Amino acid sequence: MGGDRWRKGLGPAARVAPATRVDKFEIFFDLVFVVSFFIITRATAANVTVRELLHALLVLAVLWWCWVVHSAVAARLRLGEGFVPVLMVVGMIALFTFALALPQTFGDQDKGAAGPILVTVSYVVIRIVHTSLYWYATRDDPPARRKVWLFLPEVLLSTCLLLVAALLPSHVDPDTGPWLGDGLWIAVVAVQYSSGLLAGTDGWKITSAEHWTERYDLILIIALGESVISVGVGGNLLGKPVTWPAIPAAICGILFTAALWWAHFDMIGPAARIALHAAQGHPRVAMARDAYAYLYLPMIAGVILFAIGAEELIRTVTDPAGGVAERGHGPAVPLLFVGVMLYLAANMAFQWRTLRTVSWTRVGTLVVLAAALPVGRHLPALGALALVTVICVALVAAELVIFADARAALRRVVHHERLSAEESEAAWRARWHDSESD
């Protein structure tokens, strides 16, 4: 009796429909990824070395694969309906634990394997939740259910590799152990992403192109928000008296982040969304996998890299011991420039995969950034920030003028689509008023 009341209270799980959009629970779930991006950036910024950057990118890749699997589940089930949110909260707890343990993932071997083991256990729980939900969602779709069996070796192998990476390094030579752990994590990433390619497109389904694109766009916005957090919290602007150098540094940090947002979401993102809507069957699944599941990863990696660089430069600008003329320390300037270049290069690959076009303005911007990097290393920290900002804002301004006609045409299509959808929703909701009048 009690079980029946629970099932009745929760209600049944609901499938995704062709026009489904992101619901509020999915945005709530993304808060855990906010924490994850924040922890990855903070842990790396505390000690910026080549190995620490490698660790950050490996952790990001494994975390992103969890996100890809999560999005595949969300392409089948509405995550905010029925019993699904209950399981997703379990997944949130595991993901939050995974994020909290990240700084100890590649820690000192003398401190034991508790942190790496916690990461592995959290990873297993996340994968069990997603696999269980996908199994339930495909109960009436045998080809799709066969994909679960096809991906089971990937889940088992990646879990075993993470467990070995947690336990084995402390039992081998201290000089060899850390590199062995790194190699095992690289193997995990290779297994995960190669399995996605080898599995093909049979059995997968993107029911709502709108939901898929909106889901990935929101996570990219969250990543861009991390760079804004780095400007304020990471650069410790909140913990110091406001100085004149800090004001233009903060302005530059916001401006170049806004320019990078504009570079994707003004034209490329909306046009790619239309392209995914237009594709059907296997071509839609392949585009969703290649452009969104795979190419968003280097874009987000670029965001994290330039966030680390911006944080260090702003910390230098606001440090009273240095002064306005102080240059950026260590790899801060290269990280800033390379991060922006990686973001734009991945965005160009995304544009090519979805639209089969490449903007020559983006190619020119990459060349300018590469040429400006040596110059930026000899400028004061504030000057390097300003240089990147000018280049990014110039890209946006140039494309507004050069592609004005194409942008206006795209905007008209998007506006008419939005207006039609709003009119349809308003007409349906008018029934509420009609029922009250009756």
Side-chain angles (χ1 to χ4, degrees):
M1 179 67 71
D4 292 338
R5 292 184 65 84
W6 270 103
R7 284 192 291 272
K8 184 177 180 180
L10 290 173
R15 297 184 185 276
V16 169
T20 297
R21 300 191 64 178
V22 173
D23 64 32
K24 293 180 177 60
F25 181 85
E26 293 179 83
I27 300 174
F28 173 63
F29 184 89
D30 286 348
L31 293 176
V32 184
F33 281 91
V34 175
V35 176
S36 301
F37 292 150
F38 182 82
I39 289 176
I40 291 173
T41 306
R42 295 285 78 70
T44 309
N47 180 27
V48 182
T49 64
V50 174
R51 278 200 76 209
E52 288 299 324
L53 288 173
L54 173 64
H55 294 165
L57 294 177
L58 288 173
V59 167
L60 175 64
V62 172
L63 180 69
W64 181 252
W65 187 252
C66 294
W67 166 260
V68 170
V69 176
H70 170 79
S71 66
V73 174
R76 293 273 184 170
L77 288 176
R78 299 175 190 261
L79 300 187
E81 298 291 337
F83 66 87
V84 180
V86 177
L87 283 178
M88 291 311 302
V89 168
V90 175
M92 286 180 69
I93 294 171
L95 190 59
F96 188 68
T97 307
F98 182 92
L100 292 178
L102 289 180
Q104 290 80 45
T105 303
F106 300 94
D108 190 350
Q109 297 180 48
D110 296 334
K111 295 181 180 178
I117 290 176
L118 182 57
V119 167
T120 304
V121 172
S122 301
Y123 174 81
V124 171
V125 174
I126 296 166
R127 298 304 301 270
I128 289 174
V129 169
H130 286 146
T131 303
S132 300
L133 286 174
Y134 196 83
W135 180 265
Y136 174 83
T138 58
R139 62 193 183 281
D140 299 325
D141 189 348
R145 177 158 283 192
R146 282 195 290 271
K147 286 293 185 183
V148 178
W149 294 109
L150 188 62
F151 268 87
L152 192 58
E154 176 267 315
V155 177
L156 295 175
L157 183 55
S158 61
T159 300
C160 291
L161 288 171
L162 287 176
L163 186 59
V164 173
L167 297 175
L168 186 59
S170 59
H171 293 84
V172 298
D173 183 80
D175 295 329
T176 307
W179 293 106
L180 178 61
D182 294 351
L184 290 168
W185 270 76
I186 292 172
V188 170
V189 174
V191 167
Q192 290 175 330
Y193 289 86
S194 61
S195 66
L197 292 173
L198 294 173
T201 58
D202 292 332
W204 298 119
K205 182 187 294 184
I206 306 297
T207 305
S208 173
E210 187 68 24
H211 178 273
W212 185 269
T213 56
E214 189 175 18
R215 200 77 185 86
Y216 278 82
D217 285 347
L218 286 173
I219 201 67
L220 180 57
I221 290 174
I222 286 174
L224 287 168
E226 164 54 29
S227 68
V228 176
I229 294 173
S230 294
V231 170
V233 178
N236 202 24
L237 294 181
L238 299 178
K240 297 178 180 178
V242 177
T243 61
W244 285 111
I247 295 174
I251 292 174
C252 287
I254 297 298
L255 274 179
F256 82 74
T257 303
L260 294 177
W261 174 91
W262 189 287
H264 178 76
F265 288 100
D266 182 57
M267 289 184 63
I268 304 302
R273 181 181 66 86
I274 293 172
L276 190 65
H277 272 284
Q280 297 295 327
H282 294 309
R284 172 184 281 193
V285 174
M287 183 185 296
R289 178 197 62 194
D290 299 343
Y292 289 88
Y294 279 68
L295 288 176
Y296 263 52
L297 174 59
M299 277 198 279
I300 291 177
V303 172
I304 289 179
L305 290 179
F306 74 65
I308 295 170
E311 173 182 335
E312 180 59 35
L313 290 175
I314 291 175
R315 185 182 291 115
T316 301
V317 171
T318 58
D319 187 357
V324 180
E326 184 78 9
R327 293 181 184 177
H329 302 145
V333 173
L335 282 175
L336 178 68
F337 277 79
V338 171
V340 174
M341 292 168 66
L342 177 59
Y343 176 89
L344 291 176
N347 194 255
M348 288 171 56
F350 174 87
Q351 179 184 353
W352 172 255
R353 180 61 184 86
T354 54
L355 307 175
R356 296 303 180 189
T357 62
V358 174
S359 301
W360 62 267
T361 50
R362 308 292 174 95
V363 178
T365 302
L366 286 178
V367 173
V368 171
L369 283 167
L373 173 56
V375 178
R377 299 193 70 170
H378 292 86
L379 291 175
L382 184 57
L385 269 174
L387 181 58
V388 168
T389 303
V390 168
I391 294 172
C392 293
V393 172
L395 168 65
V396 170
E399 291 190 342
L400 278 174
V401 175
I402 296 169
F403 304 123
D405 293 338
R407 183 177 183 275
L410 177 63
R411 285 293 168 198
R412 282 194 297 270
V413 172
V414 172
H415 175 72
H416 290 157
E417 178 200 20
R418 185 181 298 119
L419 187 61
S420 176
E422 290 171 351
E423 288 175 349
S424 176
E425 290 180 3
W428 195 94
R429 290 166 184 158
R431 302 177 188 178
W432 300 338
H433 303 291
D434 296 339
S435 62
E436 289 177 0
S437 60
D438 292 342

